[in-house]
Amino acid sequence: YSSAASDVYKRQKFYIMNTKTMLLLALLLFCNFIAAQEIYSIKSGSISFFAGTPLEDIDAISTKVVSFFNIKTGEVALNTFNRNFKFKRDLMQEHFNENYMESEKYPKSEFKGKILNIEAFDFSKNGEYKVQIEGNLLIHGVSKPRKIDAVITNNGLGIKVESKFVILLADHKIERPQIVWEKLAENVQTSLLLTYEPYKK
């Protein structure tokens, strides 16, 4: 009888230990799942700019953008290779990469920042949110602190981020030769249109 009772006790102990182990594993998997749902990566996106004047249109667009967005912490990171910007004329693209951006020396432009007052927003819910993102904009090897206004929209299919802001060439030590002063603007009108989806490892 004592042997049978001992066997029952062992089986019960084994069952309890296995149950605890399974619950722990489930909890860890659940936590990983929750963490994964907080991170969004870019599904499609574009960065465009206009640097022209009444004398000449100078505009370009890059659709090869890498970006991540944490909807819980509000952290945002974005970058693109400068050579990804496409112009209407090949000569403009050549001057952009060789004379202004020096793309061989400074291949990428990037922004890293965080949404201010993040606790006031719940991006997991459908809606439109007007936010300010504070961070650092790195262009031409020069990092500049910036506050950027943006509109974030969640329509249930993904998260869309739209923003328009101005970049000063002088802020990033991009020279504007006197010969092109009348054609190349000192203030560059910049637009972002980014669509995110849950990040998949």
Side-chain angles (χ1 to χ4, degrees):
Y1 175 78
S2 60
S3 176
S6 177
D7 288 342
V8 170
Y9 172 76
K10 288 179 181 179
R11 285 198 298 269
Q12 288 177 338
K13 186 176 180 181
F14 178 76
Y15 173 78
I16 291 171
M17 289 178 64
N18 274 333
T19 302
K20 288 182 176 179
T21 302
M22 290 173 64
L23 287 173
L24 179 60
L25 288 173
L27 180 61
L28 290 172
L29 288 172
F30 178 75
C31 290
N32 287 335
F33 174 79
I34 292 298
Q37 295 308 299
E38 294 173 358
I39 306 296
Y40 280 64
S41 61
I42 198 162
K43 179 180 180 182
S44 62
S46 66
I47 306 173
S48 59
F49 67 80
F50 178 79
T53 67
L55 293 181
E56 186 163 17
D57 286 341
I58 301 175
D59 54 355
I61 186 169
S62 170
T63 57
K64 296 179 180 179
V65 183
V66 176
S67 183
F68 291 91
F69 174 33
N70 188 318
I71 66 171
K72 185 70 173 180
T73 66
E75 293 173 293
V76 180
L78 178 151
N79 71 62
T80 187
F81 283 97
N82 294 325
R83 291 191 179 277
N84 288 338
F85 283 99
K86 302 302 179 185
F87 291 74
K88 294 175 183 177
R89 300 212 304 266
D90 291 341
L91 186 59
M92 284 184 180
Q93 191 156 335
E94 182 180 329
H95 287 168
F96 172 79
N97 286 302
E98 294 183 6
N99 302 333
Y100 303 117
M101 296 298 284
E102 299 181 272
S103 296
E104 286 293 327
K105 187 176 181 180
Y106 309 109
K108 289 197 296 186
S109 295
E110 65 180 38
F111 177 81
K112 292 181 180 179
K114 187 174 181 179
I115 295 170
L116 297 176
N117 195 29
I118 182 64
E119 61 276 3
F121 308 102
D122 185 355
F123 301 115
S124 65
K125 296 180 179 179
N126 289 4
E128 182 177 285
Y129 309 87
K130 293 182 180 180
V131 304
Q132 252 196 345
I133 309 172
E134 184 175 54
N136 288 290
L137 179 63
L138 177 67
I139 298 176
H140 194 235
V142 179
S143 182
K144 193 77 175 177
R146 294 294 305 265
K147 282 185 180 178
I148 296 172
D149 293 324
V151 176
I152 298 177
T153 306
N154 186 354
N155 61 6
L157 301 175
I159 292 179
K160 183 172 67 174
V161 178
E162 297 177 86
S163 180
K164 292 184 179 181
F165 54 95
V166 175
I167 296 173
L168 302 182
L169 297 183
D171 281 349
H172 299 278
K173 298 183 179 180
I174 299 173
E175 295 185 3
R176 190 167 61 113
Q178 189 171 0
I179 194 171
V180 297
W181 274 11
E182 295 182 347
K183 295 181 179 180
L184 178 63
E186 183 179 3
N187 303 333
V188 179
Q189 309 294 324
T190 307
S191 298
L192 302 178
L193 180 57
L194 312 169
T195 301
Y196 295 85
E197 62 182 357
Y199 174 61
K200 299 175 183 178
K201 294 184 180 180

